[in-house]
Amino acid sequence: MPLIIGHGTRQVTTLSRALWPFIAGALIAATVAAQPIVIDTGGVVFSVAAPTGWRRETPSTPNSRVRFISPAKTPYAECAVIVQDMPALRGHTQKEFDLEIATQTDARELEQQLATQYKSPTVQAIAMRAVAGFPAQEVRYLAETKSAGRPIWTNSITRTWMTTPSYVWTLVCGGQGSDRIQAGNALDYWRHEISSFPLGFKILRK
């Protein structure tokens, strides 16, 4: 069962219940050597560096603030930065957010949330990492979806954390392919770049 942190009459629901529909929908990875770009969402400001040779594309969802895709004629992969302002989280401390992130998430519950947008999702791993000095929950999953009416597979890694007063951040990267093997191979091809992507990320104002 998910952990709920109480704060007076307010509560922080778990990431798997409250956030995964937004995170999963955003995704459909090169040493971070490019010059950082600054993104001002109107509420928060951050900088992020694209993997070398990758190009910036229009974000695919409203909460996706910036999106990069791999070069042509290479295994297809994407990375994106998602920022959500969730007013219901206001009133909690950063310590509470960090404790919530550190709470062990049930893989089956994550799969149920992913199943609202994907077919046959499988959570492959859950771990704790750090992004921009904040503890972040890392999840790797494999799932089937559709693009232009055709089935495709995505093998993705997300890192999610929260900051006061009410922001939820996610870095999401993943490989795609016509089947689960091709998607996994694309993720493995860009593994070093995907692992390095968070190193080029900084929060400048929140």
Side-chain angles (χ1 to χ4, degrees):
M1 295 294 292
L3 175 71
I4 297 178
I5 297 176
H7 185 81
T9 59
R10 299 180 294 275
Q11 293 179 323
V12 177
T13 57
T14 59
L15 291 173
S16 57
R17 179 174 297 171
L19 308 178
W20 263 93
F22 299 99
I23 297 168
L27 185 74
I28 341 172
T31 301
V32 179
Q35 287 296 317
I37 59 173
V38 176
I39 306 295
D40 187 343
T41 70
V44 296
V45 181
F46 64 89
S47 65
V48 62
T52 301
W54 289 44
R55 70 176 185 271
R56 185 178 176 182
E57 289 287 338
T58 302
S60 55
T61 67
N63 291 315
S64 180
R65 309 302 181 172
V66 64
R67 172 176 168 243
F68 304 107
I69 68 171
S70 57
K73 298 181 180 180
T74 66
Y76 187 83
E78 294 188 8
C79 283
V81 179
I82 304 165
V83 186
Q84 303 168 73
D85 184 5
M86 302 183 72
L89 298 180
R90 291 182 181 273
H92 294 277
T93 66
Q94 188 60 50
K95 183 177 180 180
E96 288 178 309
F97 286 158
D98 293 346
L99 288 173
E100 175 69 6
I101 289 293
T103 300
Q104 181 63 44
T105 301
D106 183 73
R108 291 185 179 181
E109 184 172 359
L110 289 179
E111 288 174 349
Q112 291 174 355
Q113 293 296 324
L114 288 166
T116 64
Q117 298 194 29
Y118 291 126
K119 181 180 178 182
S120 306
T122 300
V123 172
Q124 299 171 311
I126 303 173
M128 286 301 301
R129 306 296 184 197
V131 179
F134 296 94
Q137 182 186 84
E138 180 180 277
V139 177
R140 173 173 171 162
Y141 66 91
L142 176 69
E144 184 181 356
T145 185
K146 287 188 176 181
S147 177
R150 295 184 299 177
I152 61 169
W153 285 81
T154 178
N155 202 175
S156 305
I157 296 176
T158 67
R159 288 189 184 185
T160 300
W161 71 102
M162 297 186 285
T163 62
T164 55
S166 54
Y167 293 108
V168 179
W169 304 76
T170 301
L171 303 186
V172 54
C173 294
Q176 291 186 9
S178 59
D179 55 41
R180 64 179 66 202
I181 294 176
Q182 192 176 68
N185 288 343
L187 180 64
D188 289 340
Y189 183 89
W190 296 110
R191 180 173 298 279
H192 176 70
E193 290 77 8
I194 287 173
S195 297
S196 300
F197 186 62
L199 301 178
F201 177 88
K202 293 182 180 180
I203 297 175
L204 303 179
R205 189 185 75 224
K206 63 180 181 64

